[in-house]
Amino acid sequence: MSYVDEIYERVVAQNPGEPEFHQAVKEVLDSLRLVIDANEDKYRKAGILERFTEPERIVSFRVPWVDDNGKVQVNKGYRVQFNSAIGPYKGGLRFHPSVNQGILKFLGFEQTFKDSLTTLPIGGAKGGSDFDPNGKSDREVMRFCQAFMTELYRHIGPDVDVPAGDLGVGGREIGYLFGQYRKLRGAYENGVLTGKARSFGGSLIRPEATGFGAVYYLESVMKHEHDTLEGKTVAVAGFGNVAWGVVQKLSELGAKPVTLSGPDGYIYDPDGITTKEKFDFMLEMRASGRNKVQDYADKFGCKFVAGDKPWGEKVDIIMPCATQNDVDLTQAKRIVANNIKYYIEVANMPTTNEALRFLMDQKNMVVAPSKAVNAGGVLVSALEMSQNSERISWTAKEVDDKLHQIMTEIHDGSAECAEKYGLGYNLVAGANMVGFQKVADAMMAQGIAW
Ligand code: GLU
């Protein structure tokens, strides 16, 4: 049996009940076959894939906090420190009822590749809790964040592990988390978290970075295809921070985002989500904690479709910015039926493996993988770390230029690598190979320390 297949079986056997983790590992291993086959003896002997698919450390802890009625609530807390071969662990914290160890392993594994792709020195991690911030008061969120940090602070630090936001963790939560870290630690180490507010070391452009970066990556795809964003319609899923950055940059570059989605359904706005009023309203919808995209349709008088996803709409470009497994085979078939050429993943693993394979098999379709497309967020987080350690602050233009430049490099590097291995314009395989190579080289060079 090939080394790659052996490892997949091993991962399934050793991580029962964690289908998302199996799915992420399979997608990556399939892309790595050529690279692994070319170095099979070397990698086998060093156990590189066994180590690559096993987190360096998982911290799992109890988070007790007091709700507004004085009752004690208990949630689960985790940090999965996946790989630190190329830098301190880096990756977001997710507060969402769906969070469990398997989901965080999948996200930490993906993060290792993504962080490697940024070309900056950061390792991969992910953490979070099954705490649901929706419907909680501000004080409850603060008390939860403090309780969460009371354990987490022992495991993180500016040169150890640097968490940030993800689903359910935005600027407000990062503020509360940092306040508690600073108190417990007794030192001003603001490089311990990224996505901070400006007043205590946050970077300009960090809130927009994931969305802007995704559109910069898309720009490179269009350039490769001798096409342009001007006048293109785009179906966007989600309505959170990432979708907010995406629609703004799309509009600025002359494209027209027409959909957003939420747990309740999706909206279709034929005029485009292209005005400041609409961008600002997205922030309001998110801050309201109602988690309903229908509010947009009510406000701007456009179509709302309950209980469905926007993938049946005829557009030029698809950008899923919500969460994992938003596009399964049935949804993928709707996309193909509409003859859409550009499928740009933005959320982490928004496509099931089956759907991804189906889309990649379409002759005229370009598929771009989330771990490259959404790397702009963590990339600017790494720039925030640099600014914090130098105790300086860069201008928005400096950060944005760097983001733009590196996103272009990520696209071009993946495209080149896939070409080199004879795979054509395969951005999925290219990203996995480039991301893997750097981490594997560092692991090989450092011996069997980990
Ligand atoms: N949660 C984001 C991601 O998936 C950002 C992580 C970070 O900035 O550390 O990449």
Side-chain angles (χ1 to χ4, degrees):
M1 194 189 289
S2 78
Y3 186 28
V4 161
D5 293 324
E6 218 174 86
I7 293 298
Y8 179 65
E9 285 196 2
R10 179 190 158 99
V11 166
V12 172
Q14 294 194 340
N15 301 274
E18 298 182 344
E20 292 85 2
F21 182 46
H22 307 165
Q23 182 183 337
V25 168
K26 179 150 188 32
E27 190 262 306
V28 163
L29 289 177
D30 279 344
S31 295
L32 292 182
R33 277 177 203 280
L34 292 173
V35 173
I36 302 290
D37 287 354
N39 301 281
E40 170 139 2
D41 288 350
K42 181 176 85 169
Y43 284 153
R44 238 187 219 277
K45 188 152 180 248
I48 204 85
L49 291 180
E50 288 87 336
R51 287 192 278 152
F52 223 103
T53 50
E54 184 69 38
E56 288 175 6
R57 181 184 301 105
I58 298 181
V59 189
S60 157
F61 50 96
R62 172 169 76 200
V63 189
W65 56 281
V66 183
D67 71 16
D68 284 347
N69 298 319
K71 159 120 184 50
V72 174
Q73 303 282 347
V74 178
N75 285 97
K76 289 175 183 292
Y78 307 90
R79 185 73 177 164
V80 177
Q81 298 178 327
F82 221 106
N83 195 306
S84 62
I86 63 169
Y89 306 107
K90 182 86 197 84
L93 296 172
R94 176 175 289 196
F95 292 170
H96 192 270
S98 67
V99 165
N100 58 44
Q101 191 167 294
I103 297 265
L104 294 177
K105 270 196 211 165
F106 125 61
L107 289 164
F109 180 73
E110 290 284 287
Q111 196 80 36
T112 302
F113 288 81
K114 186 195 306 193
D115 292 3
S116 167
L117 281 167
T118 65
T119 71
L120 301 171
I122 41 178
K126 206 83 180 191
S129 172
D130 59 356
F131 173 76
D132 184 359
N134 278 315
K136 302 290 189 301
S137 72
D138 188 61
R139 283 290 187 246
E140 287 178 323
V141 169
M142 181 186 78
R143 287 194 295 273
F144 176 79
C145 288
Q146 291 174 339
F148 185 82
M149 185 53 86
T150 301
E151 174 59 34
L152 188 68
Y153 93 101
R154 324 163 187 279
H155 311 288
I156 62 177
D159 294 316
V160 179
D161 183 354
V162 183
D166 197 80
L167 292 185
V169 179
R172 172 181 65 162
E173 289 74 16
I174 293 293
Y176 294 149
L177 289 163
F178 179 63
Q180 186 72 356
Y181 179 85
R182 187 165 68 78
K183 175 169 181 178
L184 292 167
R185 192 68 191 78
Y188 203 90
E189 293 177 346
N190 63 357
V192 70
L193 289 165
T194 61
K196 300 178 292 292
R198 281 289 286 159
S199 54
F200 53 100
S203 175
L204 288 168
I205 307 293
R206 178 62 189 89
E208 296 86 353
T210 311
F212 281 17
V215 178
Y216 292 148
Y217 186 101
L218 170 61
E219 250 190 327
S220 297
V221 169
M222 303 303 272
K223 193 165 160 214
H224 182 273
E225 297 299 291
H226 307 291
D227 203 345
T228 146
L229 274 175
E230 190 63 46
K232 294 282 189 302
T233 52
V234 188
V236 174
F239 70 92
N241 168 263
V242 176
W244 170 77
V246 163
V247 296
Q248 286 182 78
K249 188 52 82 178
L250 283 172
S251 311
E252 190 189 317
L253 298 179
K256 188 158 92 166
V258 288
T259 71
L260 295 173
S261 72
D264 53 334
Y266 78 92
I267 62 100
Y268 181 88
D269 181 349
D271 297 334
I273 304 144
T274 49
T275 61
K276 177 146 189 333
E277 193 193 1
K278 291 174 179 176
F279 306 148
D280 289 347
F281 189 69
M282 287 175 74
L283 295 178
E284 259 176 61
M285 283 200 296
R286 182 50 63 195
S288 78
R290 285 168 46 76
N291 211 11
K292 285 197 171 21
V293 78
Q294 185 176 4
D295 293 357
Y296 181 101
D298 293 346
K299 164 103 180 164
F300 297 106
C302 67
K303 174 168 98 172
F304 169 69
V305 182
D308 198 5
K309 298 181 188 290
W311 313 130
E313 295 291 346
K314 190 154 176 51
V315 290
D316 301 307
I317 301 168
I318 299 275
M319 297 184 88
C321 307
T323 186
Q324 63 264 14
N325 293 333
D326 208 18
V327 180
D328 60 13
L329 190 58
T330 314
Q331 299 294 344
K333 286 186 174 158
R334 292 169 89 187
I335 292 169
V336 168
N338 276 331
N339 245 321
I340 297 169
K341 174 164 179 189
Y342 300 102
Y343 182 79
I344 312 295
E345 290 191 332
V346 188
N348 291 310
M349 203 169 75
T351 325
T352 65
N353 283 356
E354 207 185 15
L356 188 65
R357 216 158 304 123
F358 174 74
L359 293 169
M360 287 173 72
D361 282 346
Q362 304 302 316
K363 247 181 83 209
N364 295 319
M365 183 168 255
V366 179
V367 177
S370 55
K371 61 177 75 90
V373 177
N374 74 25
V378 75
L379 191 167
V380 172
S381 275
L383 301 181
E384 183 172 330
M385 289 162 69
S386 302
Q387 295 169 75
N388 293 157
S389 65
E390 288 186 57
R391 303 213 190 294
I392 52 170
S393 173
W394 297 340
T395 64
K397 182 164 181 338
E398 283 172 307
V399 178
D400 197 26
D401 284 351
K402 197 118 193 99
L403 171 65
H404 200 157
Q405 176 205 329
I406 301 181
M407 290 310 300
T408 309
E409 283 170 22
I410 294 176
H411 167 274
D412 296 355
S414 302
E416 242 166 65
C417 179
E419 283 292 352
K420 190 179 100 190
Y421 280 93
L423 297 172
Y425 188 44
N426 185 335
L427 296 169
V428 174
N432 284 325
M433 292 193 286
V434 173
F436 172 77
Q437 203 66 64
K438 182 177 175 190
V439 180
D441 289 352
M443 288 171 75
M444 297 293 285
Q446 292 171 30
I448 319 301
W450 224 321

